């Protein structure tokens, strides 16, 4: 039996999760809390396996709460349950101790799978979160083409609004050479 608590200030989310867990005998909802302070006080003597933690709580930031919970209860397994699907937020939660991340509009099956996976000590990201993280990874691997020192000088002067003739005069090159550099820059930088 996986013992779960919810830390979320939205009654509809809590009710929806209660209904979801009701039909699954391997998951038991121990309690739900509407604030971080409430949860911190209650956790002192509680036996819990998994916490579903909202990031936006009325009294504190869920990212900081996640870090505090992991520091004071290292065995806890935390799943961020959030409306946010931005790379930076997901990364912050994972870096601060969350083992899983699920978007609130994820299907019930994904939430159940997240709880079961995290309870086994494995990481879990819902499908929408995996897509967000994969796209962020892909964006980080985009390479900026190398440009020569002279192309960089031409680009800087063009960026300042100088005409081809003005760039040529300033760099002591012909306007034709400036145009060649401009063409090469446009090809390299697409």
């Amino acid at each position: 039996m996986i013992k779960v608590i919810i830390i979320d200030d939205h009654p509809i989310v809590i009710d929806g999760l209660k209904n979801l867990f009701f039909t699954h005998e391997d998951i038991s909802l121990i309690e739900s809390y509407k604030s971080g302070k409430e949860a911190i006080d209650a956790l002192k003597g509680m036996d819990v396996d998994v916490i579903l933690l909202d990031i936006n709580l009325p009294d504190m930031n869920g990212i900081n709460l996640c870090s505090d919970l992991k520091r004071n209860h290292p065995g806890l397994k935390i799943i961020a349950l959030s409306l946010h699907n931005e790379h930076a937020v997901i990364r912050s939660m994972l870096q601060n101790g969350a083992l899983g991340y699920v978007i609130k509009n994820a299907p019930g099956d994904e939430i159940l799978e997240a709880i079961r996976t995290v309870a086994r000590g494995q990481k879990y990201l819902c499908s929408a979160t995996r897509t967000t993280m994969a796209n962020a990874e892909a964006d980080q691997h985009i390479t900026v083409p190398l440009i020569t020192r002279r192309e960089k000088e031409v680009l800087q002067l063009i960026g300042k609004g100088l005409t081809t003739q003005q760039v040529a005069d300033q760099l002591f090159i012909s306007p034709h050479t400036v145009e060649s550099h401009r063409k090469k820059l446009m090809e390299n930088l697409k």
Side-chain angles (χ1 to χ4, degrees):
M1 175 82 57
I2 303 169
K3 293 171 277 199
V4 177
I5 70 166
I6 302 167
I7 306 172
D8 195 308
D9 63 325
H10 297 98
I12 195 157
V13 172
I14 294 168
D15 290 345
L17 290 170
K18 281 181 185 176
N19 288 336
L20 179 65
F21 301 155
F22 183 74
T23 57
H24 296 275
E25 295 178 4
D26 63 326
I27 297 174
S28 172
L29 178 60
I30 304 299
E31 191 60 68
S32 61
Y33 302 99
K34 294 180 180 166
S35 73
K37 179 160 180 17
E38 243 185 329
I40 290 170
D41 293 342
L43 272 171
K44 290 179 180 152
M46 192 179 286
D47 181 26
V48 176
D49 298 311
V50 176
I51 294 178
L52 291 173
L53 173 61
D54 187 8
I55 293 177
N56 295 323
L57 295 169
D59 62 339
M60 61 180 58
N61 178 311
I63 295 170
N64 296 336
L65 177 58
C66 183
S67 178
D68 291 346
L69 290 173
K70 285 301 287 185
R71 186 173 38 257
N72 296 322
H73 308 276
L76 278 179
K77 295 170 178 83
I78 300 171
I79 299 171
L81 186 62
S82 177
L83 292 171
H84 298 282
N85 193 20
E86 295 86 29
H87 175 259
V89 175
I90 298 164
R91 189 181 68 240
S92 290
M93 278 302 287
L94 296 174
Q95 288 174 342
N96 281 283
L99 202 51
Y101 199 101
V102 178
I103 303 303
K104 282 188 178 179
N105 65 359
D109 291 345
E110 280 195 295
I111 295 170
L112 295 170
E113 185 181 348
I115 292 169
R116 292 175 182 130
T117 302
V118 166
R120 291 190 304 267
Q122 300 170 331
K123 286 190 176 182
Y124 183 88
L125 300 176
C126 71
S127 57
T129 303
R130 283 192 302 267
T131 301
T132 298
M133 296 303 278
N135 289 342
E137 291 265 328
D139 288 347
Q140 288 178 352
H141 289 87
I142 293 173
T143 57
V144 176
L146 295 175
I147 59 175
T148 66
R149 180 186 55 80
R150 181 59 90 182
E151 288 170 342
K152 184 177 177 183
E153 291 171 342
V154 169
L155 183 60
Q156 287 173 331
L157 294 173
I158 291 170
K160 290 180 180 177
L162 274 63
T163 65
T164 298
Q165 186 61 55
Q166 291 170 325
V167 171
D169 292 344
Q170 192 150 352
L171 296 177
F172 304 106
I173 56 177
S174 75
H176 177 73
T177 304
V178 172
E179 285 302 320
S180 294
H181 287 305
R182 184 189 300 261
K183 182 178 179 210
K184 181 84 167 141
L185 283 166
M186 287 173 39
E187 288 171 3
N188 285 343
L189 301 176
K190 298 186 187 350

